[in-house]
C-alpha cells in the first residue's frame, strides 16, 4: 500500500531523461541536455519543462510534434547540432507559449515556412548553409527574428552566383525578390505546358482532317470504279 501511495504521490511528468539534468531556473523547471552526444530529441522530457537546452549535440532532424506534449515550453536551444530537416509540424503544440527558439549553427539549407511563421518566438537562424529562396525570404520578413543575429543569415547557395556569400538581408535590400523569381518560373512552366497541350490539339486536328480526306478519296475512287466494273461484266 505504501508503494502504490508513493506512485500516486509522484507528479506526472516529473521524471528526467537519463542523459540530461533537470533543475530549477527562476522557479521553473529546466532540462539541460547540452553536449550529451544525442542523435535525436529525447522522448521522456518532463511535461512541465519551461527551459530546454539541447545544444551541442548530433541531432539531425526535428520531426512533427516533437514538443507537442510540452505545453509549458518557453525556450528551446537547438544550436550547434547537425540539423538538416525540420518538418512542417515540428513545433505544433508549443507555438503559442514559445518565446525563444535557437536554431543557429546547424546544417539547415531550407525550412518549411509553415514551421516558423506560426511561432511568435524570437528566432535565431544564423550560421546555417542557407539556400536563399522565397520561403526563407518570407520567414525573414514575417517571422520575429533575433536582431543581433539577422546579419549572419547568409546565402550559402542562391539562384545567381552573385548572391552567394552575402547576407540575405543585404541581398533583399538591393531589390532582389526571390518570390517574384519563383512566380515568373511558375508562369513560364505553365505557359510551356499550355503551349504543349495546344500543339497536341492542333496536331490531332490535322491528323484527323488528313485521315478523313484520305478516307473520302478512297471512297470516291471506289465509287468511280463501279460503272467501269459493271460495263466490263456486260
Amino acid at each position: 500500500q505504501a508503494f502504490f501511495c508513493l506512485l500516486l504521490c509522484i507528479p506526472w511528468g516529473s521524471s528526467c531523461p537519463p542523459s540530461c539534468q533537470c533543475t530549477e531556473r527562476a522557479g521553473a523547471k529546466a532540462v539541460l541536455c547540452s553536449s550529451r552526444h544525442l542523435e535525436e530529441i529525447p522522448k521522456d522530457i518532463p511535461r512541465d519543462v519551461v527551459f530546454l537546452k539541447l545544444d551541442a549535440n548530433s541531432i539531425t532532424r526535428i520531426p512533427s510534434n516533437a514538443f507537442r506534449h510540452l505545453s509549458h515550453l518557453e525556450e528551446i536551444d537547438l544550436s550547434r547540432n547537425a540539423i538538416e530537416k525540420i518538418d512542417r509540424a515540428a513545433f505544433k503544440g508549443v507555438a503559442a507559449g514559445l518565446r525563444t527558439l535557437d536554431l543557429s549553427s546547424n546544417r539547415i539549407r531550407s525550412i518549411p515556412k509553415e514551421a516558423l511563421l506560426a511561432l511568435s518566438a524570437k528566432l535565431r537562424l544564423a550560421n546555417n548553409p542557407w539556400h536563399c529562396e522565397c520561403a526563407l525570404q518570407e520567414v525573414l520578413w514575417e517571422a520575429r527574428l533575433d536582431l543581433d543575429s539577422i546579419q549572419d543569415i547568409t546565402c550559402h547557395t542562391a539562384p545567381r552566383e552573385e548572391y552567394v556569400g552575402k547576407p540575405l538581408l543585404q541581398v533583399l535590400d538591393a531589390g532582389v525578390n526571390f518570390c517574384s523569381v519563383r512566380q515568373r518560373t511558375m508562369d513560364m512552366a505553365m505557359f510551356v505546358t499550355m503551349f504543349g497541350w495546344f500543339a497536341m490539339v492542333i496536331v490531332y486536328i490535322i491528323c484527323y482532317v488528313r485521315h478523313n480526306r484520305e478516307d473520302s478519296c478512297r471512297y470516291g475512287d471506289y465509287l468511280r470504279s463501279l460503272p467501269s466494273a459493271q460495263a466490263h461484266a456486260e
Side-chain angles (χ1 to χ4, degrees):
Q1 291 180 347
F3 174 75
F4 286 109
C5 181
L6 180 61
L7 288 179
L8 292 174
C9 292
I10 296 176
W12 178 257
S14 62
S15 61
C16 191
S19 56
C20 305
Q21 177 188 359
C22 295
T23 183
E24 296 282 331
R25 183 196 294 179
K29 177 163 288 187
V31 176
L32 312 179
C33 309
S34 306
S35 305
R36 300 301 175 95
H37 306 290
L38 298 175
E39 296 183 357
E40 61 181 19
I41 298 169
K43 293 181 171 51
D44 49 355
I45 298 172
R47 293 177 178 268
D48 55 348
V49 61
V50 176
F51 307 103
L52 178 60
K53 288 185 67 64
L54 293 163
D55 56 303
N57 283 292
S58 301
I59 299 171
T60 58
R61 180 190 174 200
I62 307 177
S64 296
N65 302 311
F67 309 100
R68 188 171 187 174
H69 64 292
L70 308 177
S71 57
H72 299 282
L73 262 181
E74 294 182 7
E75 295 185 14
I76 305 176
D77 186 355
L78 283 158
S79 62
R80 295 183 295 148
N81 273 279
I83 298 171
E84 296 181 352
K85 180 174 176 56
I86 299 176
D87 291 357
R88 294 177 184 273
F91 303 103
K92 187 175 182 179
V94 297
L98 202 62
R99 294 187 304 167
T100 302
L101 173 61
D102 194 342
L103 293 169
S104 59
S105 301
N106 277 283
R107 300 175 184 173
I108 307 170
R109 297 189 69 252
S110 62
I111 188 169
K113 63 180 182 180
E114 297 84 357
L116 298 183
L117 293 183
L119 301 175
S120 58
K122 181 182 290 186
L123 303 175
R124 298 191 181 99
L125 304 176
N127 301 317
N128 281 288
W130 291 108
H131 174 66
C132 288
E133 57 181 348
C134 182
L136 182 59
Q137 174 180 316
E138 291 179 338
V139 168
L140 188 68
W141 288 142
E142 300 180 36
R144 183 169 167 249
L145 298 181
D146 178 53
L147 297 179
D148 294 333
S149 62
I150 194 171
Q151 285 292 343
D152 294 321
I153 301 177
T154 303
C155 297
H156 184 73
T157 56
R160 296 177 60 174
E161 188 66 27
E162 61 191 275
Y163 306 145
V164 175
K166 293 182 179 180
L168 176 59
L169 187 61
Q170 178 183 335
V171 174
L172 298 179
D173 284 343
V176 177
N177 189 335
F178 293 107
C179 293
S180 65
V181 171
R182 185 180 69 174
Q183 184 62 44
R184 287 198 299 270
T185 302
M186 291 176 62
D187 290 345
M188 181 59 68
M190 186 175 296
F191 173 77
V192 171
T193 302
M194 292 179 63
F195 180 80
W197 278 107
F198 181 74
M200 288 176 62
V201 171
I202 294 298
V203 170
Y204 173 79
I205 293 174
I206 292 174
C207 291
Y208 179 79
V209 171
R210 182 178 296 174
H211 179 73
N212 284 350
R213 182 179 297 173
E214 291 175 353
D215 286 346
S216 299
C217 292
R218 283 196 296 268
Y219 185 68
D221 293 341
Y222 170 73
L223 291 178
R224 284 193 295 270
S225 68
L226 289 178
S228 60
Q230 293 175 355
H232 182 73
E234 291 176 355

